[in-house]
Amino acid sequence: MPKLPAPPLPAPLKTPPPLPGQGNGEAGPLEDAKQAGITVVDWVDERTSLSGAARWLMFRKVPKGTNWFYTLGSATMFAFLNQVVTGVFLAMYYRPEPAGGAYESVRYITNEVFLGQFVRGMHKWGSSVMVVLVFLHMGRTFFFGAYKYPRELNWVIGVVLLILTMVMAFTGYLLPFDQRAFWATTVGVNINGTGPLIGPYLSDFLYGGTEFNATTLSRFYAIHMLIVPGLIAALIGAHLYLVAKLGTTAPPWQKLHKRHELIETEV
Amino acid sequence: MNQREKEEYLHDYAIMKSQGKPFFPYAVAKDAVMACVVMAVIITLSLVFGDELGSKVNAATTSYDARPDWYFFFLFDILRIIRTPSIIQLATIGIPTLCMILLFLLPFYDRGPERRPERRPLATTAGIVTICLMAYLTYQGAHAGTPDALEFATPKAVIENGPAAVEKWNEGRLAIAQSGCEACHTIGDNGNPGPGPNLTHIASRLPETAIARTLVNPTQPMPSYKNLPAKKFNAIVDFLSQLK
Ligand code: HEM
């Protein structure tokens, strides 16, 4: 396992290790306190063996030459986390009742709740940022050929994540229940309905009936805040597991510097 | 990639990986910087543009804007470009579905061992063309008239009846544009393909009285327009009864 580099502190700031023979051989309360964190971690680790997994995830090696384009995936994940956190706060005030409720509760968030407008703005703009980042990340993996053997499956999971992100965007748009939301959704669902085979079923499912009615809004709400976020979180987990398992690609231009024999422990 | 190329890749990759740096703290540091940038952008956007809330839903509305959020503009614009009824399904469902299937299966039909973009001319070109196309469609979708604008050449018959008739015609055109009919109907090159029938030649199908009756007492899901101001209502009926 590689050792962490020491922080580059100037010499006078470094605390010298205690000389042998200095203490009285017993741990004082200060040392006990220092030790407490380690004890807790050890206690958990003894019962879960999680430290191996953490080491596997964090101290795996990443090829040389990985650049800023490689941060787009985790940036997407942060945008998603932003949506989760701000979404939870919005859910505390939002009421999915079309007949008086939904629109009023959003207006209440905007006008009355402390920082409500700010959080709602973060959720609304965060969705745009996330969509942009998903596409940029997809572009990176596409142009770097990162979808090729052995990472095909990770690409497929990625496409599902892309679709789910767009589903989030579509279902979220209705929730404020203003004019723009209503008409955009009506048109959107009707377009779904013209599709072959499953089209009509899809639009019936979304509407919760054959046309816009009282259940439509709560259906969109359930999809938007329970089903799809759960799926996205689970799939991000699978996506990241595969990244850690297969390793991050080297940039396609990266040359092998020296051909050295592989040492088993280094792989 | 055949078996040899696969093993070669895995071998070379293992060496490159073993010569690399640990994920923590090197990659984590970059990711953290990027996460801060993302949060800063979101917070700035929220502070500068805030949130917005339009007027409350009104299904029998007199003015609305059936526009999706910007990231669906490209889909929206396919609808605008392809208008021939026989292939409209192809536009609305077929093209996106096909693109999705192509995207899903990409690693299964592009299996060459080469990863450098400049040595994958086909893939790189296809990628760039796709990006340009989506950017173009998004731009078009953002700039094409909203569905509440109605572009329609004034028929000769109306012009022949003098300026008063033309003015009445334009009044009707405006009233239709403001009444949300285009959410469900196509009129000429405007509006959506469904769920209502195409109204471009409605007058050759329905007499004026029948049109008025439909507006007052329509079949679901079309809302009733009997509460419109009489002037607007008459202008709409008059306009539609000219569409031969
Ligand atoms: C919710 C959306 C997504 C999240 C949170 C996400 C997250 C990540 C992260 C953190 C990585 C590792 C770091 C990196 O290479 O950037 C990664 C790698 C990858 N992602 Fe995604 N991703 C998402 C969507 C997608 C999409 C839409 C695709 C493509 C269709 C995709 C394909 C890939 C591939 C092929 C890799 C491996 C790249 C490599 O090893 O170089 N991902 N993803």
Side-chain angles (χ1 to χ4, degrees):
Chain A
M1 199 193 96
K3 234 183 129 189
L4 283 187
L9 288 174
L13 286 181
K14 285 184 188 154
T15 42
L19 293 175
Q22 260 183 345
N24 59 5
E26 277 172 33
L30 199 65
E31 279 166 62
D32 274 346
K34 270 189 193 161
Q35 212 59 37
I38 300 175
T39 314
V40 170
V41 171
D42 277 349
W43 190 92
V44 173
D45 192 42
E46 194 180 335
R47 283 151 186 84
T48 58
S49 304
L50 273 179
S51 69
R55 222 177 300 140
W56 175 78
L57 187 70
M58 298 311 274
F59 295 113
R60 69 198 156 89
K61 282 193 173 174
V62 174
K64 283 209 182 93
T66 52
N67 49 31
W68 286 97
F69 290 115
Y70 284 75
T71 61
L72 289 168
S74 70
T76 314
M77 191 172 72
F78 274 103
F80 176 67
L81 289 180
N82 169 69
Q83 295 305 93
V84 171
V85 173
T86 52
V88 166
F89 282 105
L90 293 178
M92 290 174 187
Y93 297 95
Y94 181 75
R95 271 173 305 162
E97 289 151 24
Y103 179 78
E104 284 75 8
S105 68
V106 176
R107 198 173 53 199
Y108 181 75
I109 293 173
T110 302
N111 296 339
E112 312 281 336
V113 177
F114 176 65
L115 286 185
Q117 184 164 27
F118 176 60
V119 172
R120 193 175 154 233
M122 277 180 74
H123 196 74
K124 177 176 147 66
W125 289 102
S127 74
S128 291
V129 170
M130 183 171 169
V131 170
V132 170
L133 286 172
V134 175
F135 276 104
L136 289 178
H137 171 60
M138 183 167 94
R140 196 288 276 170
T141 54
F142 177 80
F143 287 114
F144 281 27
Y147 54 86
K148 298 194 169 191
Y149 177 84
R151 299 184 181 78
E152 295 97 329
L153 194 57
N154 221 14
W155 172 269
V156 171
I157 295 176
V159 179
V160 179
L161 281 170
L162 174 75
I163 294 173
L164 290 177
T165 306
M166 295 314 260
V167 171
M168 287 301 273
F170 179 68
T171 50
Y173 203 60
L174 173 69
L175 300 182
F177 218 56
D178 55 4
Q179 284 288 68
R180 169 192 289 266
F182 175 78
W183 286 105
T185 305
T186 306
V187 174
V189 176
N190 288 340
I191 290 171
N192 278 333
T194 62
L197 300 178
I198 61 161
Y201 297 102
L202 192 61
S203 81
D204 282 3
F205 169 74
L206 286 172
Y207 274 152
T210 51
E211 61 184 271
F212 206 104
N213 63 59
T215 46
T216 311
L217 189 59
S218 39
R219 208 162 264 232
F220 269 59
Y221 187 49
I223 294 174
H224 184 79
M225 62 93 73
L226 285 172
I227 305 176
V228 179
L231 279 176
I232 291 184
L235 285 174
I236 289 180
H239 201 66
L240 291 189
Y241 168 74
L242 283 182
V243 169
K245 172 104 180 58
L246 302 169
T248 312
T249 50
W253 304 274
Q254 194 73 8
K255 296 259 171 11
L256 259 187
H257 286 306
K258 55 176 195 291
R259 287 203 162 257
H260 76 167
E261 280 312 305
L262 277 174
I263 306 166
E264 192 66 33
T265 54
E266 273 189 348
V267 179
Chain B
M1 278 172 110
N2 55 34
Q3 196 55 32
R4 215 194 86 234
E5 286 164 337
K6 284 184 182 172
E7 277 168 20
E8 224 166 63
Y9 175 78
L10 291 180
H11 176 258
D12 287 0
Y13 178 72
I15 294 177
M16 283 204 250
K17 190 172 167 186
S18 73
Q19 292 173 346
K21 293 177 172 179
F23 177 71
F24 181 88
Y26 295 99
V28 170
K30 267 190 194 167
D31 285 349
V33 171
M34 192 62 178
C36 293
V37 172
V38 169
M39 285 315 288
V41 169
I42 293 177
I43 289 174
T44 312
L45 285 171
S46 174
L47 288 177
V48 175
F49 298 107
D51 56 354
E52 56 177 52
L53 187 61
S55 50
K56 195 179 168 171
V57 164
N58 173 3
T61 178
T62 51
S63 79
Y64 77 101
D65 185 6
R67 255 168 185 300
D69 218 345
W70 65 267
Y71 26 72
F72 287 113
F73 279 173
F74 70 98
L75 279 180
F76 201 52
D77 208 57
I78 297 181
L79 286 182
R80 226 185 268 279
I81 291 173
I82 302 183
R83 293 236 160 260
T84 322
S86 54
I87 57 168
I88 237 158
Q89 279 204 355
L90 185 78
T92 55
I93 303 289
I95 294 177
T97 309
L98 192 71
C99 292
M100 272 302 140
I101 292 174
L102 285 178
L103 203 60
F104 259 116
L105 296 183
L106 171 69
F108 303 101
Y109 57 76
D110 178 16
R111 292 146 63 111
E114 186 54 61
R115 281 157 210 251
R116 268 165 287 189
E118 71 273 17
R119 300 214 187 155
R120 298 187 287 141
L122 195 63
T124 306
T125 316
I128 293 175
V129 168
T130 309
I131 291 174
C132 294
L133 209 63
M134 283 186 58
Y136 172 77
L137 287 176
T138 302
Y139 176 82
Q140 286 289 311
H143 287 262
T146 54
D148 51 9
L150 181 56
E151 313 269 324
F152 207 92
T154 317
K156 268 209 196 72
V158 176
I159 299 176
E160 279 162 11
N161 285 344
V166 173
E167 194 176 316
K168 182 135 197 244
W169 156 272
N170 277 327
E171 230 171 71
R173 193 166 62 91
L174 201 68
I176 293 223
Q178 290 171 345
S179 304
C181 318
E182 289 164 78
C184 306
H185 292 286
T186 307
I187 305 175
D189 287 339
N190 313 271
N192 289 306
N198 189 326
L199 296 182
T200 312
H201 304 292
I202 179 69
S204 54
R205 227 171 351 168
L206 284 185
E208 191 167 340
T209 48
I211 294 176
R213 221 181 304 126
T214 309
L215 287 180
V216 172
N217 197 4
T219 331
Q220 284 286 356
M222 178 165 155
S224 168
Y225 287 87
K226 65 171 181 286
N227 295 328
L228 281 187
K231 190 156 176 271
K232 244 182 177 176
F233 186 91
N234 291 334
I236 289 179
V237 174
D238 190 61
F239 176 92
L240 290 178
S241 57
Q242 311 279 358
L243 298 181
K244 291 256 160 51

